[in-house]
Every structure is written in structure tokens, then in C-alpha cells.
Amino acid sequence: MTEITDAQWARMVAAGLWRKECPDVRDQLRRVEMNYLGFDGKVHRGVLVVNADVTASVIRIFTRLFEAEFPIRKMVPMEEYDGDLNASLADDNTSAFNCRRPEQINAPFKESPHANGRAVDINPFENPWKDLRTKQWSPSGKYAARTPGKGKILEGGVVWQAFTDEGWIWQDIKVADYMHFDTGYPSAPYTGPKPKGTPSQSPIPGGSASAGATPAE
């Protein structure tokens, strides 16, 4: 885990990952490098950019996934895609921090879990979301059915268990968003796993209590 260097921050800003209307998280972000098992069965080195307050949790979670041999397709920072969410999703890239472009966002910038570095999207192709604007599966509906499969996230499965044990919320939105975990909406400092039986979030109007009931992105 390292702080974001001036050089990386310059690349992130140039790619549009941060703009003046985004949360002021420059000093809070950390670059986390870790091993993951690829779909090819080989060990690869990946990078996630997350908030400092979730780094220990993220490392614990992905260590569990590595030890469980859960495959991840790719894990590179969003500047590799010029901040384009759709390009990252189409490439099946696992990612975290991104103050998304206005046309690619579901929550206000300041409150967004992704824009605050407290959300992770895993294997988007195997775990798509239902785009609120188009009502279509993104990046593809090929694996939308929640049946067992390589790289898929299922309730009660290894990925779901690893995140929820740390107090993260799966599909923190009112539509299906199988790739997405975050620590709550509106995004606030992460304080660790909540005691068993403690509600993760209070639902807001229009949400679904069973899915976290918040317009996260």
C-alpha cells in the first residue's frame, strides 16, 4: 500500500477520474498492489485505488479470494481506460476509485462510494448490472442469471462472504448490480465490520431494503 504519487495523480486527473466537483480525496487515496488468480490459472499482480480507511479491509478480502482461488479477469487502475467506465466494464476489469463522468453516474459526486474510494466492482462481465438509463444489462447480459459459474458472485458464496464479513454491502442500489460492493451510501469514513445483527444502512425512498436501498455507483 502506497500513497498516490504526484505522477499517478496527474495521470488520474488527465483521464478525468477527478474534477473540481468531485470529493476532495487526493490525500485519502492509496494504491494497493496485490496478487490475484487470473482466469488462466496463473498469478498476476493487480492494482486497486481505494480510500485509506478501507485499505486493510480490501487487503483482507482479496487475500481470502486469492486463497480460495476465486478467479479475477483483470485489475488495473481506471486511468488505463481514460476514466471511461464502459470501457473498463467491457474489458472485465475489477476496479475501485473513479469519480465517474456525469453520463456514467447514478449518485451525486460528493456522496458516491466510487468517487470516495469505498466501492469495488469485480468481474463486470460475469457480474453485470442493470443500467438505470438504458434498462439493459451492462456490459452484457450473457451471465446475468445468478447460477454458479467461473468468476461469478453469488449470495452466500466466497466473494459475498468475504465482503459482508467486513461490513460491505452487495448491490447497494435499487436495481441488480452483481459486480458492486461498497461500505455505505452516502459514503462516509469506514470504521470496520459492524456487530452481527446491525443494519448496514437505512433505506431511502424508492430503494429496496434487501439490496441496500441506496443509489450507489
Side-chain angles (χ1 to χ4, degrees), residues 155 160 164 168-178 180 199-204 206-214:
E155 185 171 358
W160 181 91
T164 57
W168 292 61
I169 306 164
W170 186 41
Q171 303 188 80
D172 199 3
I173 190 172
K174 65 182 180 181
V175 296
D177 192 2
Y178 301 131
H180 180 92
S200 297
Q201 281 286 337
S202 297
I204 64 169
S208 164
S210 63
T214 55

Side-chain angles (χ1 to χ4, degrees), residues 6-21:
D6 291 341
Q8 183 178 5
W9 183 247
R11 293 194 298 271
M12 292 166 69
V13 172
L17 296 179
W18 187 87
R19 303 168 299 283
K20 62 181 181 180
E21 64 265 33

Side-chain angles (χ1 to χ4, degrees), residues 24-43:
D24 185 13
V25 293
R26 164 70 175 91
D27 294 334
Q28 298 174 33
L29 297 178
R30 297 293 182 270
R31 176 186 174 95
V32 180
E33 295 189 19
M34 51 196 165
N35 291 337
Y36 67 91
L37 184 71
F39 274 60
D40 58 4
K42 298 179 180 179
V43 177

